[in-house]
Amino acid sequence: MNWDDLRIFLEVSRTEKLSVAAKRLSLDPSTVSRRLHQLEESLSTQLFERTTSGHFLTEDGTKLVESARKIEQNAAMAFEQIANQNQGDSGVVRIGVTEAFGNHFVAPNLKELKALHPQIDIDLLHFGRNVKISRNEADIAIAIEKPKGTSMIVTKLTDYTLKLYGSKSLLKSCPPNSISDLSAMSWVTYVDNLLFTEQLSFLDEIGTDIVPSFRSTSVNSQFAAIKSGLGIGILPCFLAETDPELTPVLPDTICLTRSFWLVTHPELKRLKRVSIVWDYLKALAETNQNTLQPS
């Protein structure tokens, strides 16, 4: 079997888009399609369901992707061990993370890691869904929901606090005095039917009749809308507390807690550079609890 065909197969399984996979592989989409058909013909099976939305693994495709991923990881580890016997703390580590935590907590705190380990480079990958470590999308995932029934290594990174915020200019004109006042205000929140996890569904916990006037799949867009005075909304404290134009609304009454989880594959965890970044993230969260869970 041709390894290049497996490499193309793996990239399409990760991206679920022929055009995206072709771009990453620096190949023409027609070449990628042709090689996939050749692989399917050699195996006498269909590996993908081809739809207008993308390429999705069949049952046989799912079986093959697990074996192909192991071949890829074993090859990568062998190359790592041979090429970097004396440089175990060098190379790229890919961290998959949500945009808010990546932009406003992880990225601003990588300077010390770089100073300690200048040969380690970081790729910070923002995902609006759960990161698929099993499909090699990242080396380390920072998830907002604990994976269930997995062979991955999973540990809690930290709890973090979210509060209700509004701009000072908006609250100056119509400050709420109780939860019952909140339903009359303009709200900013997520698009419910596009949430990839219930951990981002906040409004049901507040217990009042709320109809959002602005919704977005992006927490950064929500942050900008709240800051502009468009409405009030739930934001993580590590994001909102850095902006002097925002102020908490009923902070003694509305205070939510969520968790971040570190996830990686056991074979990746054995790589020194991945282990270094893993330990650094854990220490970073531990020493910044006042930012993540302010009183």
Side-chain angles (χ1 to χ4, degrees):
M1 183 176 292
N2 191 320
W3 165 245
D4 284 340
D5 289 345
L6 282 180
R7 185 170 62 91
I8 291 170
F9 163 73
L10 281 171
E11 198 61 51
V12 175
S13 74
R14 289 171 189 140
T15 63
E16 297 179 343
K17 299 285 186 182
L18 200 69
S19 58
V20 177
K23 185 176 181 179
R24 290 186 180 182
L25 294 165
S26 299
L27 294 173
D28 186 87
S30 61
T31 301
V32 173
S33 179
R34 176 172 54 80
R35 296 291 287 273
L36 284 181
H37 282 293
Q38 288 177 352
L39 181 60
E40 289 177 324
E41 288 176 5
S42 70
L43 296 172
S44 299
T45 190
Q46 183 177 346
L47 299 173
F48 292 99
E49 293 288 347
R50 294 163 172 83
T51 72
T52 55
S53 300
H55 281 50
F56 304 100
L57 289 169
T58 62
E59 184 177 349
D60 283 343
T62 300
K63 292 177 182 177
L64 180 60
V65 81
E66 292 300 319
S67 297
R69 180 186 56 76
K70 290 178 182 178
I71 294 172
E72 181 184 51
Q73 288 184 341
N74 288 338
M77 287 184 65
F79 182 85
E80 179 89 18
Q81 292 168 357
I82 295 170
N84 300 304
Q85 287 179 356
N86 299 316
Q87 302 179 57
D89 61 344
S90 66
V92 177
V93 176
R94 299 166 301 154
I95 304 173
V97 65
T98 55
E99 59 172 345
F101 198 59
N103 284 337
H104 301 281
F105 185 79
V106 178
N109 288 296
L110 291 177
K111 184 177 180 180
E112 183 179 352
L113 172 65
K114 194 64 178 176
L116 293 171
H117 303 281
Q119 300 304 315
I120 294 180
D121 296 325
I122 301 296
D123 283 354
L124 199 62
L125 313 175
H126 293 160
F127 288 85
R129 56 170 173 78
N130 293 319
V131 183
K132 300 174 183 176
I133 291 289
S134 63
R135 295 192 183 180
N136 202 29
E137 289 186 334
D139 301 312
I140 297 173
I142 302 177
I144 60 176
E145 186 171 15
K146 184 179 181 180
K148 299 177 181 177
T150 179
S151 60
M152 302 295 123
I153 296 176
V154 180
T155 188
K156 181 185 278 191
L157 176 61
T158 184
D159 291 329
Y160 67 101
T161 302
L162 306 98
K163 295 181 181 180
L164 181 60
Y165 290 91
S167 69
K168 291 180 178 179
S169 58
L170 175 66
L171 296 173
K172 184 177 181 180
S173 60
C174 55
N177 296 310
S178 65
I179 286 185
S180 60
D181 296 334
L182 298 180
S183 59
M185 302 188 70
S186 296
W187 276 77
V188 172
T189 189
Y190 284 99
V191 183
D192 283 345
N193 62 345
L194 294 180
L195 290 176
F196 70 92
T197 172
E198 287 301 314
Q199 296 297 315
L200 299 178
S201 183
F202 305 128
L203 299 190
D204 291 342
E205 296 184 39
I206 297 176
T208 187
D209 186 19
I210 296 169
V211 179
S213 58
F214 176 82
R215 300 187 300 171
S216 174
T217 57
S218 165
V219 68
N220 282 338
S221 293
Q222 294 176 48
F223 171 70
I226 295 168
K227 182 177 177 178
S228 75
L230 187 60
I232 59 175
I234 300 292
L235 291 172
C237 295
F238 64 77
L239 167 59
E241 293 290 333
T242 61
D243 196 302
E245 295 182 30
L246 295 181
T247 187
V249 179
L250 304 177
D252 295 331
T253 305
I254 300 177
C255 185
L256 309 179
T257 300
R258 294 291 189 269
S259 301
F260 284 118
W261 301 85
L262 282 180
V263 186
T264 192
H265 193 280
E267 293 176 3
L268 291 171
K269 186 65 164 57
R270 296 189 188 104
L271 297 177
K272 187 174 181 181
R273 67 175 187 274
V274 174
S275 182
I276 287 172
V277 174
W278 176 281
D279 291 340
Y280 180 82
L281 290 171
K282 290 178 67 175
L284 181 65
E286 185 176 346
T287 56
N288 284 275
Q289 285 300 294
N290 289 338
T291 299
L292 296 166
Q293 299 185 83
S295 55

